[in-house]
Amino acid sequence: MKTNDTVDRELISSYSLFLFITDQGNPRQSTNLTFTIDILDENDHCPQLHIESTFLLINRDITSNEFVLHLIASDNDDGLNGQITFELSTLTSPSYVRLHANGTLVIQMNSSLITDDLLLLLHVQIRDHGQPTPCLIVESLRLFIGSNRTDWSMVLKTNDEESLVLLNHCFLLLLLF
């Protein structure tokens, strides 16, 4: 079997080959054979984080002892090449923030280290377990922790324009937590 194009498991994961074999005898004998050719995965994709905004507002007054955020990422590869784990960069992660390997981010809101109007910058490392070389991406999350006394519109004005567009969305998120 020969292909003219590159074989990509993400597009076609297997090929079927049908053979009809006959001999020259009298009477002729024949048989049908079917082969399935499975395409092995190559680690040709990196994980992608699926998040609407990397800037989040958290109101301490309406958030319980823990703030929990579930990060979602995907990798189009198969098997270990597509298996994803999360971790925080140790240089930027305070002791009251944990990120589990499954993407669950937990902030201990009752920590004495958290003050009102605190901007946390977290560097989230997302890696696959591909062979021979794993793929690693790093995404930066900015989490602003405030209270009912915080001037939330001022917080958004001092941050990027993308955050201004998401003002209503962020306030809805705050109400849900």
Side-chain angles (χ1 to χ4, degrees), residues 15-29:
Y15 289 90
S16 295
L17 180 62
F18 303 101
L19 292 177
F20 177 74
I21 302 170
T22 188
D23 65 13
Q24 297 296 322
N26 189 4
R28 289 188 166 197
Q29 300 290 318

Side-chain angles (χ1 to χ4, degrees), residues 111-164:
S111 170
S112 61
L113 299 174
I114 295 180
T115 59
D116 283 349
D117 300 340
L118 171 69
L119 180 64
L120 282 175
L121 179 62
L122 302 175
H123 298 289
V124 177
Q125 298 176 1
I126 308 164
R127 73 179 71 238
D128 64 24
H129 296 266
Q131 297 297 326
T133 306
C135 186
L136 168 71
I137 63 166
V138 178
E139 293 283 346
S140 296
L141 298 180
R142 294 176 300 140
L143 307 173
F144 186 89
I145 300 173
S147 69
N148 287 339
R149 295 170 301 285
T150 301
D151 183 352
W152 294 102
S153 60
M154 185 58 74
V155 171
L156 290 172
K157 285 179 187 175
T158 58
N159 285 280
D160 61 8
E161 291 297 317
E162 175 188 355
S163 298
L164 290 172

Side-chain angles (χ1 to χ4, degrees), residues 32-44:
N32 293 315
L33 296 174
T34 302
F35 296 95
T36 299
I37 302 168
D38 292 324
I39 307 302
L40 298 177
D41 186 47
E42 180 178 45
N43 193 24
D44 55 347

Side-chain angles (χ1 to χ4, degrees), residues 63-80:
T63 305
S64 62
N65 292 335
E66 291 184 338
F67 174 81
V68 179
L69 177 67
H70 298 282
L71 300 174
I72 299 172
S74 64
D75 188 318
N76 287 336
D77 290 318
D78 195 30
L80 289 178

